[in-house]
């Protein structure tokens, strides 16, 4: 009778320990296979290795300082394949890891963490339990409770840090990994040829809910990071670029991934520059990776939800992204590998990618179809995490397996059910009674989601309705009921959840609630457990992200999927019936959303005159009334222009109905231009709630870090002003400067208050006692509208601010001198340059005498005619002086940081910023002007200030 043969895997640095271990095994009666004894240098190594493993009854891994690298990693990969693939336990290859003293237990590959680790050193004899297990071909499983907390993730996708909890897909993970690199089995790992049988792009395909993202993130990536692909690719070390989803701007996403993954320091990154290079040169990705190329190291880019290129991405960026990937994958000097995941029902859309589809046709992309999880795999996903956490799942395992039979998206449902049961566990036991009473895997999800909306509705009035509107907006509706996720930019998601008024603040509260972050009152959410319906995408790559890089997505498509047909009615029934039915009742919304996108795209492609004849009509606007496109998007601009056209049409109709005469008299009596007849109708419609009210748009100003300077460093300016006959008592440059601090964040008007905004205030106050008067027209022209308002005294401004505060419910005032100058300088602090854009006035940066604009020394410019400062404020230099609330003092004495008291000794107040009629020096942020509170002229206007809403 032949003795059992044991395969001994070890690193050459542990040769002495391997010899000692071999001796111990031979003493116990085993025949030991060592590759260096049995496989010669000229052999077909991979083929001989597989043959050797077929003849062995046990695999012993000697784990030392180097861990599982290179040859050892390849041997472990084949051993795991033999351990996982047979369905008959008797045919499995048992694996026995042995840890040397210098080995790091924490760096053990996650797939080996299941097995009991035997600690051993060469001077010791082998434990009897190990010898008996090898002889009996019985694995020693680790039954120690090594995981603290809930070992189930619910609906969230697994990430690399969850690798130790990722079960049920180990065999599929290894199968997928075999498709990267060489597809030959007749080559040695150190003699790999890069030819047509060498794959650098692997695509994971599968149904919705099959676990594609989890397979890549928690299954493949940790093993790749540990060098398991060396035997097939020739690369032991890997630089894994942070996983990306294409989104609306795939090239922008790629730029962000490159900068965050390749550059460790924040100050080194320039996403805008990288984005422009990707737009300009199809070789930019390949060239950038070449810059960071190292011997023996490859790059891996993971593109998750590849179907977004077909459903969500901008067409121009999609094609540019296609060219970048194609060029890099074809570049032999660029060691880039790509793993993508895509839903199987979007494969036909690859015709939209002219470059990558060629790799498809040439079979240079390997495709792995992720099958439905097996009952064995599902059982492993239930029981193995429980074993790590010391949980008893015996009462629920069989019931869950029965509920999940034939369900292609069973894994997320099971994970969610297990997490709910864990939260309501009895000691260490998950209750089978509770599971059955809640309706199984589908019933638990539905009850959780309904309870979440019910509680939201009680905490935030009408919150449930707004939440359903947001969830509907995040759904791409399919006529056959096969709905898919539709990711939205954060700004658009806020509007969708903001109710009838599209209030972004309310919308953010609902997003925070549904993503599991906060209660409406700001406290942590605990009562509803761990269920999250949404995820905010982009936060993981950006420690302090701006809204422009964030988007909102459904946590999982299970929320919008159908579980089957109702036997009585024949209608599809959703896993979450509430949302599925809401989608069904509002399915025309998806049609209108797509119609709006088509119309907007067609409108954008027209010439200036052609756009007038391709706007939406009254009926279409009515159909679009519940759509909330992102501010500034093509769809939003199309709607805005269309609504403006309806205003014009409505105004014309109003004129025909008799408003012409009344409006004409109104303009005559108030010395307003004839065009204001239409403006009056817009005011009426705004007051009735049919149009947005013309109120100031605000910009949040961040607090400075510590002190900042108020005033000018250039001492030569003071005598220069005096030589030109300008007394310091009237105008000066704040010399000498002083230091100031701000303790409370605030918001400033994005623009100077316009004539339209101020006139609306005056119009709305007509008939009120001591009602305000319309200010005089701007100089040298008979236009008002979007021009900065002038001929407004400081006292007039107080009336406007009081009205605005009552109108909005927020407290508005004028800024202090210190607040104004800090905001005007923006990011030029602490350089304190002459202007926020630099030391020279330049051309067309502002409206002043010598500024190089079309309005210089002629008239007030429409607000927003020049580029904004880094805080997003327009026209802080020139155009019109802006009132502040500070009392005028010739020199700074502390009053520059305060508002004038009601009983102030002087009635003079400070204005800042220069005007269209002043020289360039007065457009400096330090320029100060003093006027009486009742003074009105065509040089001075205002900009409003409000306390910050940002916590």
């Amino acid at each position: 009778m032949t003795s059992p043969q044991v395969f001994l895997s070890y690193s050459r640095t542990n040769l002495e320990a391997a010899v000692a271990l071999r001796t111990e095994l031979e003493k116990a009666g085993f025949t030991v296979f060592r590759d260096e004894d049995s496989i010669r240098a000229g052999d077909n190594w991979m083929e001989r290795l597989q043959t050797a493993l077929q003849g062995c009854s046990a695999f012993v891994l000697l784990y030392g300082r180097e861990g599982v690298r290179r040859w050892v990693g390849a041997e472990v990969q084949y051993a795991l394949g033999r351990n996982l693939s047979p369905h008959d336990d008797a045919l499995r290859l048992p694996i026995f890891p042995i840890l040397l003293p210098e080995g790091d237990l924490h760096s053990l590959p996650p797939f080996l963490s299941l097995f009991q680790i035997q600690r051993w050193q060469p001077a010791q004899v082998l434990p009897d339990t190990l010898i008996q297990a090898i002889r009996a071909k019985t694995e020693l499983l680790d039954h120690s409770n090594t995981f603290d907390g809930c070992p189930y993730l619910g609906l969230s996708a697994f990430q690399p840090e969850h690798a130790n909890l990722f079960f049920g897909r180990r065999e599929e993970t290894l199968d997928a990994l075999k498709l990267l690199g060489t597809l030959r089995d007749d080559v040695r790992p150190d003699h790999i040829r890069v030819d047509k049988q060498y794959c650098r792009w692997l695509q994971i395909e599968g149904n919705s809910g099959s676990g594609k993202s989890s397979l890549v993130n928690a299954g493949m990536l940790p093993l790749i990071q540990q060098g398991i692909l060396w035997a097939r690719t020739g690369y032991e070390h890997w630089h894994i670029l942070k996983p990306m989803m294409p989104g609306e701007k795939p090239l922008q996403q790629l730029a962000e991934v490159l900068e965050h993954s390749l550059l460790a320091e924040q100050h080194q990154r320039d996403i805008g520059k990288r984005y422009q290079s990707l737009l300009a040169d199809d070789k930019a990705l390949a060239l950038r990776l070449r810059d960071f190329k190292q011997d023996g190291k490859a790059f891996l880019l993971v593109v998750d939800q590849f179907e977004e290129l077909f459903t969500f991405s901008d067409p121009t960026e999609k094609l540019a992204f296609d060219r970048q990937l194609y060029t890099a994958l074809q570049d032999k000097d660029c060691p880039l590998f790509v793993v993508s995941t895509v839903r199987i029902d979007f494969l036909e859309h690859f015709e939209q990618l002219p470059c990558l589809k060629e790799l498809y046709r040439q079979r240079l992309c390997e495709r792995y179809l992720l099958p439905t999880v097996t009952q064995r795999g599902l059982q492993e996903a239930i029981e193995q995490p429980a074993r790590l956490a010391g949980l008893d799942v015996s009462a629920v395992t069989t019931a869950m397996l029965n509920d999940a039979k034939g369900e292609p998206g069973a894994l997320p449902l099971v994970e969610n059910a297990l997490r709910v049961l864990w939260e309501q566990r009895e000691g260490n036991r998950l209750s089978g009674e509770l599971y059955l009473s809640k309706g199984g895997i589908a019933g638990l999800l539905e009850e959780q989601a309904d309870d979440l909306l019910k509680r939201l509705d009680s905490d935030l009035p009408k919150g449930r309705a707004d939440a359903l509107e947001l969830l509907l907006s995040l759904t791409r509706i399919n006529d056959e009921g096969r709905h898919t996720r539709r990711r939205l930019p954060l700004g658009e998601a806020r509007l969708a959840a903001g109710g009838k008024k599209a209030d972004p603040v309310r919308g953010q509260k609902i997003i925070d609630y549904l993503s599991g972050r906060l209660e409406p009152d700001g406290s942590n959410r605990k009562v509803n457990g761990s269920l999250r319906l949404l995820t905010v995408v982009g936060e993981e790559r950006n420690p302090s992200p701006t809204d422009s890089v964030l988007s909102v997505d459904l946590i999982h498509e299970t929320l919008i999927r159908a579980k089957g047909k109702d036997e009585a009615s024949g209608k599809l029934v959703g896993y979450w019936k509430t949302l599925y039915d809401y989608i069904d009742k509002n399915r025309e919304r998806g049609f209108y959303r797509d119609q709006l996108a088509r119309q907007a795209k067609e409108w954008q492609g027209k010439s200036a005159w052609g756009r007038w004849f391709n706007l939406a009509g009254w009926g279409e606007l009515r159909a679009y009334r519940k759509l909330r496109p992102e501010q500034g998007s093509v769809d939003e601009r199309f709607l805005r222009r269309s609504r403006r056209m309806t205003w014009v049409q409505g105004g014309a109709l109003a004129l025909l109905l008799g408003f012409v005469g009344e409006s004409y008299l109104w303009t005559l009596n108030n010395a307003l231009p004839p065009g204001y007849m239409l403006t009056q109708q817009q005011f009426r419609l705004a007051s009735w709630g049919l149009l947005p009210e013309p109120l100031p748009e605000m910009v949040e100003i961040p607090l400075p870090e510590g002190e900042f300077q108020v005033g000018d460093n250039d001492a030569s300016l003071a005598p220069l002003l005096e030589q030109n006959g300008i007394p310091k008592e009237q105008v000066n440059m704040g010399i000498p400067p002083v230091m100031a601090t701000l303790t409370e964040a605030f918001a400033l008007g994005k623009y100077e208050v316009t004539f339209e905004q101020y006139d609306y205030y005056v119009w709305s106050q007509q008939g009120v006692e001591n009602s305000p008067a319309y200010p005089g027209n701007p100089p040298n022209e008979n236009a008002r509208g979007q021009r900065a308002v002038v001929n407004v005294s400081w006292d007039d401004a107080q009336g406007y601010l009081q009205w605005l505060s009552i109108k909005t419910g927020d407290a508005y005032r004028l800024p202090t001198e210190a607040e104004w100058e800090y905001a005007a300088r923006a990011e030029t602090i602490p350089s304190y340059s002459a202007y926020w854009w630099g030391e020279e006035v330049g051309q067309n940066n502002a409206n002043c005498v010598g500024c190089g604009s079309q309005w210089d020394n002629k008239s007030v410019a429409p607000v927003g005619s020049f580029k904004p400062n880094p805080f997003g404020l327009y026209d802080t230099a020139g155009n019109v002086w802006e009132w502040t609330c500070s009392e005028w003092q010739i020199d700074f004495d502390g009053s520059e940081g305060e508002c004038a008291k009601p009983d102030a000794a002087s009635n003079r107040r400070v204005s800042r910023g220069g005007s269209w009629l002043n020289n360039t020096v007065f457009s400096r942020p330090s320029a100060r002007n003093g006027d009486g509170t009742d003074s009105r002229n065509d040089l001075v206007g205002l900009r409003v200030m409000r306390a910050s809403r940002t916590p």
Side-chain angles (χ1 to χ4, degrees), residues 296-448:
K297 192 169 189 177
F299 298 95
L300 177 65
L301 173 65
V302 176
V303 185
D304 198 11
Q305 296 184 32
F306 204 78
E307 63 269 14
E308 286 191 350
L309 285 171
F310 315 126
T311 63
F312 191 30
S313 295
D314 173 82
T316 301
E317 290 223 0
K318 172 177 64 179
L319 294 176
F321 184 80
D322 172 47
R323 294 192 297 271
Q324 289 291 343
L325 284 193
Y326 174 81
T327 304
L329 287 171
Q330 292 289 84
D331 188 338
K332 294 183 179 180
D333 294 324
C334 173
L336 173 67
F337 291 73
V338 174
V339 174
S340 56
T341 69
V342 65
R343 274 182 45 164
I344 199 169
D345 45 345
F346 284 96
L347 294 178
E348 63 187 38
H349 295 281
F350 269 85
E351 289 297 318
Q352 299 177 24
L353 304 175
C355 296
L356 291 177
K357 76 177 181 183
E358 288 303 313
L359 298 186
Y360 250 44
R361 290 174 178 171
Q362 297 171 26
R363 301 186 64 82
L364 296 178
C365 168
E366 285 297 318
R367 300 163 60 186
Y368 178 72
L369 177 60
L370 183 61
T372 300
V373 64
T374 63
Q375 287 280 289
R376 173 182 153 197
L378 201 56
Q379 183 172 353
E380 184 178 293
I382 296 171
E383 294 179 343
Q384 296 298 353
R387 182 175 59 79
L388 292 178
L391 298 174
D392 178 5
V393 294
S394 58
V396 300
T397 301
T398 301
M400 283 190 174
L401 292 176
N402 288 333
D403 286 349
K405 280 182 180 177
E407 169 51 57
L411 270 176
L413 287 166
V414 169
E415 282 280 332
N416 180 70
L418 288 166
R419 188 169 185 91
V420 176
L421 294 174
W422 179 87
E423 290 169 351
Q424 302 179 51
R425 65 195 181 280
E426 302 166 355
N428 72 332
R429 176 179 173 274
L430 303 194
S431 170
E433 296 84 357
L434 177 63
Y435 174 76
L436 294 174
S437 69
K438 298 294 186 181
I441 56 177
L444 278 165
L445 173 63
E446 187 164 36
E447 182 180 90
Q448 268 189 300

Side-chain angles (χ1 to χ4, degrees), residues 424-646:
Q424 302 179 51
R425 65 195 181 280
E426 302 166 355
N428 72 332
R429 176 179 173 274
L430 303 194
S431 170
E433 296 84 357
L434 177 63
Y435 174 76
L436 294 174
S437 69
K438 298 294 186 181
I441 56 177
L444 278 165
L445 173 63
E446 187 164 36
E447 182 180 90
Q448 268 189 300
D450 283 338
D451 286 348
L452 179 60
L453 292 194
K454 183 178 180 181
R455 184 160 182 266
L456 172 60
D457 211 37
S458 65
D459 290 342
L460 194 65
K462 298 184 179 180
R464 180 180 184 276
D466 292 343
L468 286 171
E469 274 297 307
L470 173 59
L471 296 170
L472 175 65
S473 297
L474 292 167
T475 305
R476 190 172 300 281
I477 300 171
N478 177 270
D479 290 340
E480 299 175 357
R482 295 183 290 110
H483 311 314
T484 57
R485 290 186 289 188
R486 174 179 178 260
R487 193 144 46 97
L488 290 181
L490 179 58
E492 186 172 344
R494 284 173 177 159
L495 298 178
K500 291 183 178 180
K501 294 185 178 180
D503 179 3
V505 175
R506 177 182 173 87
Q508 184 63 57
K509 288 181 180 179
I510 291 177
I511 291 169
D512 287 341
Y513 193 90
L514 298 184
S515 60
R517 295 193 288 189
L518 296 173
E519 294 276 15
D521 61 4
S523 61
N524 289 327
R525 177 160 66 81
K526 296 179 180 178
V527 177
N528 282 307
S530 60
L531 181 66
R532 295 186 298 139
L533 303 181
L534 306 179
T535 181
V536 180
V537 182
E539 292 177 317
E540 68 284 353
R541 286 202 304 271
N542 302 277
S544 301
T546 60
D547 290 354
S548 62
V549 302
L550 298 179
S551 56
V552 177
D553 200 355
L554 292 172
I555 192 73
H556 203 279
E557 279 186 350
T558 302
L559 296 169
I560 55 175
R561 284 177 48 222
K563 63 181 178 181
K565 290 185 177 181
D566 179 76
E567 293 183 0
S569 65
K571 292 182 61 177
L572 289 172
V573 179
Y575 281 109
W576 182 15
K577 188 173 183 295
T578 299
L579 178 56
Y580 198 85
D581 288 351
Y582 190 82
I583 294 171
D584 189 57
K585 291 176 183 176
N586 294 275
R587 60 174 50 252
E588 77 284 350
R589 197 85 57 83
F591 168 78
Y592 290 135
R593 192 163 55 210
D594 293 341
Q595 177 177 287
L596 170 60
R598 290 193 300 270
Q599 276 190 295
K601 184 178 180 181
E602 182 180 353
W603 169 81
Q604 186 184 32
K606 297 293 183 180
S607 62
W609 283 107
R611 289 187 175 187
W612 284 99
F613 301 101
N614 284 272
L615 294 169
W618 289 83
E620 290 164 328
L621 287 176
R622 179 175 176 80
Y624 299 156
R625 68 189 184 282
K626 290 188 177 182
L627 302 182
R628 301 285 188 269
E630 185 181 17
Q631 192 76 19
S633 66
V634 175
D635 292 3
E636 188 271 338
R637 288 188 285 116
F638 171 74
L639 279 180
R640 180 158 28 96
R641 300 284 175 83
S642 298
R643 285 167 183 154
R644 285 180 179 174
M645 175 57 76
T646 63

Side-chain angles (χ1 to χ4, degrees), residues 99-114:
L99 182 69
L100 293 174
E102 64 272 20
D104 182 7
L105 182 61
H106 298 292
S107 64
L108 194 70
F111 281 16
L112 296 177
S113 62
L114 281 173

Side-chain angles (χ1 to χ4, degrees), residues 28-165:
F30 299 109
T31 301
V32 180
F33 180 96
R34 290 197 311 160
D35 60 355
E36 68 176 16
D37 295 336
S38 307
I39 302 178
R40 295 182 299 278
D43 286 343
N44 179 342
W45 183 83
M46 296 176 81
E47 196 173 272
R48 288 279 290 125
L49 174 61
Q50 293 181 64
T51 302
L53 281 170
Q54 288 291 338
C56 291
S57 59
F59 182 88
V60 175
L61 169 65
L62 192 61
Y63 191 81
R65 182 180 297 107
E66 286 192 357
V68 178
R69 311 296 302 189
R70 297 175 70 88
W71 302 95
V72 176
E75 292 167 355
V76 168
Q77 185 175 6
Y78 280 111
L80 283 170
R82 268 209 58 200
N83 176 268
L84 296 172
S85 56
H87 293 285
D88 185 349
D89 289 345
L91 299 177
R92 291 191 186 187
L93 179 68
I95 296 175
F96 302 95
I98 295 179
L99 182 69
L100 293 174
E102 64 272 20
D104 182 7
L105 182 61
H106 298 292
S107 64
L108 194 70
F111 281 16
L112 296 177
S113 62
L114 281 173
F115 308 108
Q116 190 178 103
I117 309 300
Q118 301 290 327
R119 297 179 182 274
W120 178 80
Q121 52 188 356
Q124 296 176 330
V125 297
L126 291 175
D128 286 341
T129 54
L130 175 62
I131 293 173
Q132 294 302 324
I134 295 175
R135 185 168 286 121
K137 302 180 184 179
T138 303
E139 292 176 342
L140 293 174
L141 298 180
D142 187 359
H143 292 284
S144 60
N145 299 342
T146 58
F147 188 84
D148 185 24
C150 180
Y152 303 109
L153 268 64
L155 292 180
S156 299
F158 283 81
Q159 299 302 323
E161 60 267 25
H162 304 131
N164 61 325
L165 299 175

Side-chain angles (χ1 to χ4, degrees), residues 18-31:
V19 171
L21 179 58
R22 175 180 182 174
T23 300
E24 290 295 317
L25 289 169
E26 288 175 341
K27 286 180 182 178
F30 299 109
T31 301

Side-chain angles (χ1 to χ4, degrees), residues 704-705 707-709 713 739 822 825-833 839:
E705 297 180 1
E707 293 186 323
F708 62 94
Q709 177 181 297
N713 288 318
M739 301 306 293
Y822 166 70
R825 287 189 182 279
E827 294 179 1
T828 60
I829 294 175
S831 64
Y832 299 105
S833 56
E839 292 295 339

Side-chain angles (χ1 to χ4, degrees), residues 705-759:
E705 297 180 1
E707 293 186 323
F708 62 94
Q709 177 181 297
V710 179
D712 213 301
N713 288 318
D714 191 349
S716 67
L717 293 175
L720 179 64
L721 295 180
E722 292 180 5
Q723 292 171 12
N724 284 275
I726 302 174
K728 181 179 181 180
E729 294 76 9
Q730 176 62 35
V731 177
N732 67 54
M733 306 303 292
I735 300 172
V738 295
M739 301 306 293
T741 59
L742 296 177
T743 59
E744 295 183 3
F746 60 95
L748 272 186
K750 186 175 185 178
Y751 309 101
E752 294 158 331
V753 173
T754 65
F755 269 99
E756 181 186 32
Q757 291 166 348
Y758 194 89
D759 289 341

Side-chain angles (χ1 to χ4, degrees), residues 848-860:
C848 71
V849 178
C851 281
S853 82
Q854 60 180 301
W855 298 280
D856 291 5
N857 201 26
K858 296 178 183 177
S859 63
V860 177

